[in-house]
Amino acid sequence: MDVENNPMQWNDNLGLMGLVPNSLTFSQQQVNFILGHSLRSVYQDTLDSPLPEPLKTLVAQLEAKFQS
């Protein structure tokens, strides 16, 4: 399809940005909530799985080192 004759094609990006409502802005607290919720839902199965034995051993060694 010819881009020049396509009325649905926007070539003026600045003109298009003027049509976007300003209600798409979020506070930092909202962004943190949305990202946290999204990441938690993606990685929840990993968080729920048990820690592998080699990592358990390493954690125990690190805890012992920093407690003394």
Side-chain angles (χ1 to χ4, degrees):
M1 176 176 262
D2 188 7
V3 173
E4 292 179 48
N5 296 325
N6 184 355
M8 300 301 288
Q9 179 69 36
W10 282 84
N11 291 326
D12 180 11
N13 288 335
L14 294 177
L16 179 61
M17 291 306 292
L19 299 175
V20 176
N22 198 17
S23 63
L24 297 176
T25 58
F26 296 98
S27 70
Q28 186 64 48
Q29 184 178 8
Q30 290 170 317
V31 170
N32 290 347
F33 175 80
I34 292 167
L35 287 175
H37 179 74
S38 298
L39 288 170
R40 197 173 305 110
S41 67
V42 168
Y43 292 108
Q44 190 62 49
D45 59 334
T46 302
L47 293 171
D48 293 338
S49 64
L51 201 58
E53 277 305 316
L55 287 179
K56 282 184 186 178
T57 304
L58 180 59
V59 168
Q61 290 172 355
L62 289 171
E63 285 176 343
K65 179 179 181 177
F66 287 107
Q67 287 177 355
S68 57

